[in-house]
Amino acid sequence: MATMVPSNFGYSLRECGHHFRRNWTTVLGAVVTIFLSLFIIGLFVIASAMINNMVGSVEDRVTIQAFLSDDADQATVNSFQEDIASWDNVESVTYKSKDEALEDYQTSMSNRNASDALAALDSENPLPASLVIKLTDPQQVESTAQKIAQSSTFQKICDQSDNPAGDVKYGQETVEKLFSVTNYLRIGAIVLVALLTFVAFVFINNTIRLAITARRREIGIMRLVGASNGFIRGPFIMEGTLEAVIGALLAIVVLFVGVNALLPALSSSMAFLAFDVSSMTLYATFGLLLLLGVLIGFFGSAIAMRRYLKV
């Protein structure tokens, strides 16, 4: 496919300007559609980053508790703790004593309920000691839990020697639901971005085809006098690219103003949620929108011209 040569740049720019003035309603429609499509893409990318941050903070709280027998040999426990700490996916391993487990229980329950429960047990502490394992990749929690349960060393020191798997807890059902939701969100984000990009591409393509149809006599005359396909194609490609770039810049400006105005308000009103988007993520999103605008405009108009000129 022949392309626009440097000597054709000035002509293409002038023709693009003339068409913008003569057919401003068509141009406005293309710009607004691209603006809306890229704005929604940008909004969804930023929202996805925020959700990922919030989900990531929840995922980071996913830990494995391996309950230990009261009669477990402390040297064996220490050795097993060091062994787990050396695994690739393990960030840290903390030993929680029976007394610490009781303190956590009393903290999570009301003092009165905890006191009543201890009184019923004659003040004995029924809670076992445990190893609390924090992972670098919470998505691998199930495989890591299985590895612990299958360890011959753990089977010697676990609380229930006849059921080691029952002594490895990580909130299985809750974790599975959490990861299922986050995976669906990530897939949905990719699908929506692809769909909106396609919609913007189709609209630019159709807009350029309408412009070609409106100027088909002019194009025919240019071909009769020997104008090359690249010379004819230049103004249309520039028109489509400029429309997409203008739409992208508008989307970037609106998103920038909106993020700076809304995020502080959301953070102050709902401090328990992490409404946080890093500057790197924000500027990367803006760069992506601008790049998408250029690609949508260039290839949408180039394909429309290719079909018309049958090159």
Side-chain angles (χ1 to χ4, degrees):
M1 181 175 64
T3 55
M4 184 172 50
V5 296
S7 60
N8 192 25
F9 183 82
Y11 167 76
S12 298
L13 190 59
R14 289 193 300 273
E15 285 298 304
C16 180
H18 293 329
H19 185 260
F20 273 30
R21 289 192 295 271
R22 290 195 302 265
N23 302 280
W24 65 270
T25 53
T26 303
V27 172
L28 181 63
V31 169
V32 168
T33 300
I34 293 167
F35 156 70
L36 291 174
S37 298
L38 294 180
F39 173 76
I40 295 172
I41 290 173
L43 188 64
F44 204 83
V45 169
I46 292 172
S48 296
M50 291 170 56
I51 291 171
N52 276 334
N53 287 339
M54 288 187 282
V55 168
S57 65
V58 174
E59 288 182 345
D60 287 341
R61 297 173 191 170
V62 174
T63 57
I64 299 172
Q65 277 196 292
F67 295 106
L68 307 171
S69 170
D70 292 346
D71 300 326
D73 179 64
Q74 193 60 44
T76 306
V77 171
N78 294 339
S79 175
F80 186 57
Q81 180 178 353
E82 292 175 2
D83 182 35
I84 296 176
S86 66
W87 294 357
D88 291 338
N89 188 42
V90 173
E91 181 178 329
S92 65
V93 185
T94 306
Y95 176 78
K96 182 188 288 187
S97 67
K98 290 172 63 67
D99 291 338
E100 290 172 335
L102 183 59
E103 288 177 9
D104 289 347
Y105 171 76
Q106 289 175 323
T107 302
S108 61
M109 301 285 288
S110 67
N111 290 331
R112 181 175 179 180
N113 289 339
S115 299
D116 292 343
L118 286 175
L121 294 167
D122 295 328
S123 298
E124 291 184 7
N125 181 358
L127 301 177
S130 63
L131 294 177
V132 181
I133 299 101
K134 186 175 181 181
L135 308 178
T136 55
D137 181 8
Q139 295 276 349
Q140 298 182 29
V141 63
E142 184 177 357
S143 61
T144 305
Q146 289 175 353
K147 186 176 179 180
I148 293 171
Q150 292 167 3
S151 168
S152 58
T153 304
F154 179 68
Q155 291 172 9
K156 295 176 183 176
I157 60 175
C158 65
D159 190 36
Q160 305 175 64
S161 58
D162 59 334
N163 182 26
D167 279 334
V168 182
K169 302 293 184 182
Y170 58 92
Q172 288 90 329
E173 293 184 2
T174 302
V175 168
E176 287 173 4
K177 289 178 181 178
L178 172 65
F179 291 157
S180 176
V181 169
T182 57
N183 288 334
Y184 280 127
L185 286 173
R186 286 165 183 144
I187 293 171
I190 294 171
V191 171
L192 184 59
V193 168
L195 179 62
L196 291 171
T197 302
F198 177 73
V199 169
F201 175 85
V202 169
F203 195 86
I204 274 289
N205 186 273
N206 289 338
T207 301
I208 296 299
R209 289 176 68 181
L210 289 173
I212 292 170
T213 302
R215 297 162 65 184
R216 60 184 180 276
R217 292 184 61 188
E218 178 185 341
I219 294 172
I221 293 171
M222 292 174 69
R223 299 188 75 174
L224 286 175
V225 298
S228 67
N229 287 328
F231 188 84
I232 297 171
R233 186 184 293 114
F236 294 98
I237 292 178
M238 181 166 288
E239 177 184 331
T241 303
L242 284 178
E243 287 172 351
V245 168
I246 292 170
L249 291 175
L250 286 173
I252 289 170
V253 170
V254 173
L255 283 170
F256 182 79
V257 172
V259 166
N260 284 284
L262 292 178
L263 280 188
L266 288 173
S267 297
S268 61
S269 61
M270 290 182 281
F272 57 91
L273 291 176
F275 289 102
D276 181 38
V277 180
S278 67
S279 298
M280 182 178 295
T281 300
L282 201 59
Y283 291 123
T285 302
F286 294 160
L288 172 66
L289 294 181
L290 189 58
L291 178 62
L292 278 176
V294 172
L295 293 177
I296 288 169
F298 182 86
F299 286 105
S301 52
I303 290 173
M305 287 301 299
R306 181 185 178 90
R307 290 176 179 172
Y308 182 81
L309 297 175
K310 295 182 175 63
V311 176

